[in-house]
Amino acid sequence: MNRLTARLPAAAALCAAALAAPLAAAETAFPQNAELHYVGPYGVPAVMTFNQTGGRYTVSADINVPLYKMRFSSNGSISGNRLSPARYSDTRKGRPYAGATFNYAAKTITYGKTGQTESQPINGPTFDLFTLAWQLAINNGQLPANLHITNGKRVYPVRGMTRLPPARYNINGASIAVNRFRVQRGDDTIEYSFAPDFANIPALIKYTDDGKTYELKLRSGKIDGTPLQPPK
């Protein structure tokens, strides 16, 4: 009995470590570039691109809502597994709508709708929701400490992240595994799903903006020029 009792704390520690362990790394290398095609509400098409070269990255997302096209873009530096945004912009109907500029020397972020900007101290890592998708992808779902999110209009503290049960999505007539997360942004949530068999690319992004909910679900794409071809 004493020997069994002595083993219990060790077993409990092993279980706790297993539960706390990060998700398995992506099976393919993190991409230098990706072009991902999504379908949104009512079949609206959307395209997101990611590129990195020479220590710099760019992310852009185009959501082609009829008569109200939206483009979200971000650029900055990338070092190891850390992205550092420099500029984020939100363009609607071809006109600047909102944005954010990061001044790391002064430790400030300037943000707001066009013509209505304000500045505040950078109080922790700050990302737009599309750059955050790639930050989480490159870190296998590990959330940076003291994280903030900006949509260009405001800056929100992140109150935490919940790992949701894994799932499978159908892409090009094939089923792929995804790891799912829900990020608490202010009073709203953002849901991300990543495909570990394909460099952890974002397979789903679901968020709310101006009272409208958008869900972008991956349907096709290319990673470093190679089309996604899940086994059927």
Side-chain angles (χ1 to χ4, degrees):
M1 180 63 71
N2 290 339
R3 185 177 300 175
L4 175 60
T5 302
R7 290 177 179 172
L8 287 176
L14 287 172
C15 290
L19 289 172
L23 297 175
E27 292 190 5
T28 53
F30 197 75
Q32 294 296 303
N33 58 78
E35 179 184 307
L36 307 179
H37 294 257
Y38 298 82
V39 60
Y42 308 107
V44 169
V47 180
M48 179 163 62
T49 61
F50 172 85
N51 294 278
Q52 61 163 318
T53 182
R56 305 292 297 177
Y57 83 89
T58 60
V59 174
S60 67
D62 293 275
I63 303 177
N64 296 308
V65 178
L67 304 179
Y68 197 77
K69 292 186 177 182
M70 298 183 290
R71 179 177 177 84
F72 308 94
S73 60
S74 176
N75 65 77
S77 62
I78 180 170
S79 177
N81 62 350
R82 175 68 181 271
L83 283 74
S84 298
R87 171 67 181 162
Y88 167 71
S89 63
D90 175 346
T91 303
R92 306 190 183 192
K93 294 184 178 181
R95 299 177 180 177
Y97 176 72
T101 302
F102 299 78
N103 186 330
Y104 292 105
K107 298 182 179 180
T108 60
I109 177 174
T110 300
Y111 61 94
K113 292 183 179 180
T114 301
Q116 303 175 22
T117 60
E118 59 181 288
S119 298
Q120 72 176 49
I122 295 177
N123 294 316
T126 305
F127 298 89
D128 62 275
L129 66 90
F130 294 101
T131 302
L132 179 58
W134 293 97
Q135 176 67 31
L136 291 173
I138 201 172
N139 282 281
N140 293 307
Q142 298 302 298
L143 196 69
N146 198 29
L147 177 67
H148 291 69
I149 294 179
T150 182
N151 59 0
K153 295 169 287 186
R154 294 181 58 188
V155 176
Y156 304 85
V158 170
R159 304 185 186 279
M161 181 170 71
T162 303
R163 185 184 298 177
L164 302 174
R168 300 192 69 86
Y169 290 162
N170 289 320
I171 295 177
N172 286 340
S175 175
I176 67 168
V178 296
N179 295 319
R180 303 166 59 227
F181 301 88
R182 180 176 293 139
V183 177
Q184 188 70 38
R185 179 197 73 176
D187 295 329
D188 295 325
T189 59
I190 304 171
E191 186 174 326
Y192 294 105
S193 295
F194 302 99
D197 294 340
F198 298 93
N200 265 347
I201 57 172
L204 179 140
I205 302 175
K206 183 178 181 180
Y207 68 100
T208 300
D209 185 68
D210 289 339
K212 298 179 180 178
T213 298
Y214 299 89
E215 180 177 279
L216 307 179
K217 191 171 183 179
L218 186 66
R219 63 178 182 180
S220 65
K222 296 179 181 179
I223 299 176
D224 293 329
T226 301
L228 293 178
Q229 294 180 329
K232 296 183 179 180

